[in-house]
Amino acid sequence: KNEVEQSPQNLTAQEGEFITINCSYSVGISALHWLQQHPGGGIVSLFMLSSGKKKHGRLIATINIQEKHSSLHITASHPRDSAVYICAVSLLGGYGKLTFGQGTILTVHP
Amino acid sequence: DGGITQSPKYLFRKEGQNVTLSCEQNLNHDAMYWYRQDPGQGLRLIYYSQIVNDFQKGDIAEGYSVSREKKESFPLTVTSAQKNPTAFYLCASSIVSGQGYLYEQFFGPGTRLTVL
């Protein structure tokens, strides 16, 4: 079993829909990261969370430390949100090195 | 502009040849990392370095080597011992924040290596 599990693996939505991607982990962490990877391959860090909730524009990330679970929400989705969304965790004492989920491929149709 | 550069974006090599991937950062970050991405799989850690002249093996270090002679540079050599080197390689760096244990990650654009 992977230490970081994401669901769903693939997600298709219509423009304007509310989207949720889930991430569960089974290890002790110092932080959880949500990353975005576009078709060209480059990765952008969206959020780094150690507790609670963060919001940036139409993106919201939450984490429940007790349940070892995080969600990434996209409100009013748009075709430009189409990308791979990756959940990753920094292990306690791991000096920042990340353990990654498999990624969620999101496609938003106009 | 501060950031991480990787060159080249695409790299082709013949089987049996060593190849070195470049990673440079001007963010003044102490920690740097190399990850490998294969289709349908999550990224995996190859090597990481917390400080100049020091580096540690990650989960899939076999067939790879690194050096960290300067803070700004963390080149990765894919040797002929790496059995399946064709992949997408990402370099990252991080800075410690929060109470000294939160590492915000910054990624380079990646190098796609194809071994023929």
Side-chain angles (χ1 to χ4, degrees):
Chain A
K1 191 177 188 303
N2 292 335
E3 292 174 322
V4 181
E5 296 274 359
Q6 280 184 245
S7 63
Q9 291 189 351
N10 287 279
L11 183 55
T12 301
Q14 289 298 124
E15 185 173 354
E17 286 184 355
F18 181 83
I19 287 163
T20 296
I21 300 170
N22 295 300
C23 177
S24 297
Y25 55 93
S26 57
V27 293
I29 68 170
S30 58
L32 183 140
H33 305 252
W34 281 104
L35 311 169
Q36 181 190 58
Q37 185 173 32
H38 277 282
I43 290 180
V44 174
S45 177
L46 298 174
F47 296 104
M48 180 177 67
L49 295 160
S50 56
S51 64
K53 176 179 172 177
K54 287 190 175 181
K55 183 175 189 290
H56 185 256
R58 295 180 294 106
L59 274 59
I60 302 166
T62 64
I63 188 168
N64 184 317
I65 298 294
Q66 286 72 33
E67 294 186 5
K68 291 186 163 64
H69 181 269
S70 175
S71 293
L72 176 68
H73 305 286
I74 304 175
T75 62
S77 60
H78 189 276
R80 65 174 174 266
D81 297 326
S82 298
V84 178
Y85 292 85
I86 302 170
C87 173
V89 298
S90 305
L91 303 182
L92 283 171
Y95 303 107
K97 54 191 170 81
L98 299 180
T99 299
F100 297 84
Q102 300 287 83
T104 295
I105 303 171
L106 172 65
T107 304
V108 181
H109 293 294
Chain B
D1 286 330
I4 302 176
T5 57
Q6 290 185 246
S7 60
K9 190 171 177 65
Y10 298 95
L11 189 54
F12 297 88
R13 279 294 183 270
K14 290 183 180 178
E15 193 172 345
Q17 289 182 332
N18 290 359
V19 60
T20 297
L21 280 58
S22 164
C23 177
E24 303 278 332
Q25 55 100 358
N26 60 4
L27 300 167
N28 199 34
H29 289 173
D30 284 313
M32 296 187 74
Y33 315 84
W34 274 105
Y35 299 100
R36 169 182 171 138
Q37 187 176 42
D38 294 281
Q41 293 193 38
L43 286 91
R44 293 177 290 170
L45 178 68
I46 306 172
Y47 267 98
Y48 69 103
S49 168
Q50 296 168 249
I51 199 166
V52 174
N53 292 323
D54 183 60
F55 48 83
Q56 306 294 329
K57 291 182 180 179
D59 301 319
I60 54 165
E62 186 175 348
Y64 299 98
S65 66
V66 293
S67 63
R68 188 86 188 277
E69 296 176 3
K70 299 186 298 182
K71 189 175 187 178
E72 301 81 18
S73 179
F74 191 40
L76 174 75
T77 297
V78 185
T79 76
S80 56
Q82 169 46 234
K83 289 182 172 47
N84 189 15
T86 294
F88 186 59
Y89 292 87
L90 279 154
C91 178
S93 68
S94 69
I95 187 167
V96 179
S97 61
Q99 281 92 38
Y101 59 88
L102 297 178
Y103 293 77
E104 186 172 2
Q105 300 276 326
F106 295 80
F107 289 85
T111 292
R112 196 165 298 277
L113 173 65
T114 302
V115 175
L116 305 170

